[in-house]
Amino acid sequence: MSDQQTQNAATALLDLCKAKKLMVVTAESCTGGLVAGALTDIAGSSAVVERGFVTYTNAAKQQMLGVPAETLKAHGEVSREAAEAMAKGALAHAPADLAVAITGVAGPGGGSAAKPVGLVHFAAASREGKLIHRERRFGDIGRTEVRRRSVLEALAMLTELAS
């Protein structure tokens, strides 16, 4: 996953967070740890990356991040509500300043008319109470590309919060 664009975005985020003494936590579902991986590919990332949660199942989202079962039942795991609960839960379970959460349908299967392949929800939260949500509909562009674009979006959202 370490393409030049991803590496540049991760390096810029790490430099910004180091300068501001900010720690980051990730909560990832469809990206399976790729955001944390992109950051930790870079030497010195331990000054910024506190931890990462890979919560691929609903049970993991509930147990590791405290996402309410009612949220998942009412809105589904691929939803704004789930992404926001994941980001808030990551902050609640880690001594970090910034969190990003990603949940989506990377494909090739698993989509539906309401939640097609390529739909990804992102949430980024700060300890100060800022919360950003983004929904992206990348389309059926292949699992690898959905995940790559999701990593870039997550890094951009963390950079926005840190700025």
Side-chain angles (χ1 to χ4, degrees), residues 56-105:
Y56 215 64
T57 66
N58 284 349
K61 289 173 183 67
Q62 292 171 55
Q63 291 167 7
M64 296 172 71
L65 301 172
V67 175
E70 302 78 35
T71 298
L72 297 169
K73 185 176 180 186
H75 304 284
E77 64 271 16
V78 179
S79 65
R80 174 184 190 142
E81 294 81 3
E84 289 179 352
M86 289 169 66
K88 290 174 185 175
L91 281 179
H93 291 88
D97 306 291
L98 306 175
V100 69
I102 306 161
T103 183
V105 185

